[in-house]
């Protein structure tokens, strides 16, 4: 992450003062420039896709529970730790299933900046 | 939304075949090019910020429940309908409160492509 990326994402998708200027962010809840939570979410997705979470058919989310306990800052280096919580075959579609995946996005200090418990739709080998 | 934007977002944040190429998406769950759900989420945020949902201190989410009932397609025109479900003053911080905001993102056919029930942190006028 760097300041340039935070500003570029915010200009395009979340143009609020605390995502656009460190000076303007000083007197807000964030106390300084913070990345949009959706930027953290998008980077988390890139890390999941490129770091080799392998699911048959790709990583297709139908939704989930999202939280941002702390903001992502310009100097942060993010990584993601994921855990499969549940695998449920579909009742109506024998070729599909649902995977519940918990992904923690942490910064270099180990702080969780995003927690996403996702429901993913996966292909299932039919026998 | 247009195809160019779908591809650009996917290349940067969600480089999976069904977000990058209509041909590659044909034989997937999507049946054709679909925007990343995070792209839908980011556009929803832009619509919320620019269309004048006015909250004291800005729109600051601590998280929420997210779902993507249908994919966003290249030709889609999105709009957002929001409703405040709940306003809760903070017990520990008299200058803050929590707003539960339900936002439906719909395409031009009225189909819901994203539902987000967000928990927002808001400033509260102290008296």
């Amino acid at each position: 992450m760097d300041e340039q990326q935070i500003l570029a994402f915010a200009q395009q998708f979340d143009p609020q003062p605390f995502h656009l200027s460190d000076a303007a962010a000083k007197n807000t809840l964030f106390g300084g420039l913070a990345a949009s939570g959706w930027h953290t979410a998008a980077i988390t997705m890139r890390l999941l896709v490129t770091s080799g979470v392998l699911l048959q058919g790709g990583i297709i989310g139908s939704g989930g529970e999202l939280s941002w306990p702390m903001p992502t800052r310009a100097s942060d280096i993010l990584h993601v730790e994921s855990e499969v919580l549940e695998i449920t075959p579909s009742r109506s579609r024998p070729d599909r299933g649902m995977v519940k995946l918990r992904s923690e996005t942490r910064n270099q200090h180990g702080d969780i900046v995003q927690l996403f418990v996702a429901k993913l739709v996966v292909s299932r080998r039919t026998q």
Side-chain angles (χ1 to χ4, degrees), chain A residues 1 8 23-24 28 40 43 45 65 69-70 76 83 89 102 112 121:
Chain A
M1 184 64 85
T28 69
T40 302
I43 288 172
M45 190 65 194
E65 275 173 64
M70 288 188 62
D76 280 359
E83 184 189 358
R102 178 192 160 97
I112 298 180
V121 185

Side-chain angles (χ1 to χ4, degrees), chain A residues 61-107:
Chain A
S62 73
E65 275 173 64
L66 185 62
S67 71
W68 296 296
M70 288 188 62
T72 298
R73 305 292 185 175
S75 56
D76 280 359
I77 298 165
L78 303 183
H79 71 278
V80 181
E81 296 168 21
S82 292
E83 184 189 358
V84 172
L85 299 182
E86 224 176 277
I87 302 179
T88 318
S90 165
R91 287 183 192 183
S92 55
R93 301 276 311 249
D95 60 338
R96 289 194 196 167
M98 191 68 90
V99 167
K100 198 185 257 193
L101 187 77
R102 178 192 160 97
S103 296
E104 293 178 355
T105 310
R106 291 176 183 265
N107 63 22

